[in-house]
Amino acid sequence: MARIAVIGAGTGAMAAAARLAVAGHRVTVYERSGTHGGSLGRYARDGFVFDTGPGLLHLPAVYRDLFVKTGKEPLEQCVTLTQVDPASRHLFADGTAVSLPNASRAGVVGALDQALGAGAGARWGDFLDRAGTAWDRSRRPLLEEPLREDREVLARDPYPSVRVRRLLRSPRRAGTVEEIGAWELADPRLAALLDGYALSYGLDPRRAPAAAALLPYMEETFGSWYVAGGMRALADAVYERCLARKVEFVFGAEVVRVTEKDGRAAGVELADGRSVEADHVVLGAQPAPGLLPVREAAPAGQREAPVPGRFVVMLSLSGARERGAVHRTVVHAGDPAAEQEAVFGGRTAERPTVTVLRPDDPATRPDEEHEAVTLVVTVAPQGRVDWTDPALRARFTDSVVDRAAEAVPGLRERILHTEVRTPAETSADTGAEGGSVPAPALAGAAGGYLHAGNRTPLPGLYLAGGWSHPGGGLAHAGMSGALVAGLVVEGDGFRGSQ
């Protein structure tokens, strides 16, 4: 039985901890804050309850597998999962609106044809077919295996771009998300739909490789799911599973250094001066300066520029949620190019893309005559924009609420209370630099959108969570936990799930 120290209590770290405990190891989790869950936070006031992190779950199979492998009670016995249908409603700059059904390719094609005109659905369907090919080509090395030392297979873009002919000029193929929208989808609304997926994950459509097509493919193929009581309930369930497997948690314990002895990780040093010995150390958070004795070089590309964060507005509303209201509505930017230039150039957008979340969940409101609504915007991180400036916060909040009012009838008149969470709060709570939220790993772009591998150059030190392979997002974090557990238990010969 090995002693294992886990740094951080995010979902990826807890997923690793539960699996390692089941394998017979003695696992202790050290968390700098006072609670578990990482980005899966919760804010409550006067009977209103809000998620401060992700609002929906994609690829629930990742957590089903975690619960199957770590105990008798399956995931659905610990939380209530509901498919969100329609998966999303989209309001475009020209006033067009479309609702897309959950996990129904034929339904999506039909909805797009009806809303955007004949042929729009077929173009989107053909695009998803190509995205499915990219999924088949890259799924295993990108998501199910530890990151290979030879990354050539992931350096190539797996998306089979269409060869677009041009009069008197050489043919061209899309290499970025933006180019797919312009050259293959050939409709600004379909392009905005694709851009919106990329932006929601913190990716710049102008630069993100075509392989980012996997993101809408995963959502539209495997569905969008809501956890009753809010997504924080998923973090609670994973935490309870860890406790049931005898994982020990120490909260308010900031790790300032991973110690090294005889050329391998030997434990951790805490801010209060205590030293804890361990046979293996799992880092489940973004490495702070000076934390690691050996740092793996960050892959090029994505990390050359600051990673965006999220601006979250939580609204307590009077009045009942109207019949037929959609759980998730995306109000697309009036000028997508200007928004992208602002977000990735370190400014605030004038009319940003706003995701409006309106769960039909009694647990989120005091009674049926009230409603809890959450607005989410991808923004530049703290430091590029000063999100501690009260005037800026108020001005941007007002702009976000204005945009959301297009999706929620009588929104302003219904507001009882407004709570704002910016990248500044995210940074303070999670320790992430600038309050950045890591994006999922992507193939292509010469490996520039990959993350650090789960094994490090220092034997005994492993990386889990969104800042390591295979990147950010709830599903990806859960996968990283499984990979780290496999590497610890089976050694460097571990090749992932079969």
Side-chain angles (χ1 to χ4, degrees), residues 292-496:
L292 303 181
V294 176
R295 292 200 62 176
E296 179 173 317
Q302 178 174 231
R303 300 188 183 186
E304 291 179 355
V307 179
R310 305 295 183 267
F311 188 97
V312 181
V313 180
M314 294 164 277
L315 301 176
S316 303
L317 303 183
S318 62
R321 183 180 188 270
E322 74 271 14
R323 186 183 300 273
V326 175
H327 185 116
R328 175 175 58 169
T329 298
V330 181
V331 183
H332 290 272
D335 186 343
E339 177 182 34
Q340 293 160 23
E341 183 63 35
V343 171
F344 298 97
R347 302 188 306 278
T348 58
E350 293 296 324
R351 289 173 54 80
T353 298
V354 177
T355 298
V356 182
L357 299 173
R358 306 178 66 187
D360 188 10
D361 184 353
T364 65
R365 54 191 183 241
D367 54 51
E368 294 302 312
E369 295 305 314
H370 294 84
E371 183 182 8
V373 172
T374 303
L375 316 179
V376 184
V377 184
T378 298
V379 295
Q382 171 66 19
R384 300 297 297 276
V385 170
D386 182 9
W387 291 114
T388 65
D389 180 351
L392 173 62
R393 291 164 65 102
R395 187 167 60 250
F396 195 70
T397 299
D398 196 54
S399 173
V400 170
V401 172
D402 269 349
R403 305 242 58 215
E406 300 177 31
V408 183
L411 177 61
R412 282 200 174 276
E413 294 74 20
R414 298 174 58 195
I415 297 175
L416 299 173
H417 179 261
T418 302
E419 180 70 20
V420 174
R421 181 181 173 86
T422 77
E425 284 76 35
T426 302
S427 178
D429 291 348
T430 69
E433 183 179 358
S436 295
V437 178
L442 298 174
Y449 285 78
L450 299 175
H451 292 255
N454 306 111
R455 64 167 71 86
T456 73
L458 180 66
L461 174 63
Y462 302 88
L463 305 181
W467 294 102
S468 62
H469 179 71
L474 279 177
H476 293 70
M479 294 175 196
S480 78
L483 293 174
V484 165
L487 287 168
V488 173
V489 173
E490 298 186 28
D492 288 344
F494 175 67
R495 291 293 178 264

Side-chain angles (χ1 to χ4, degrees), residues 200-218:
S200 70
Y201 285 96
L203 295 166
D204 185 348
R206 302 168 301 174
R207 297 179 176 86
L214 268 66
L215 302 175
Y217 174 82
M218 285 192 296

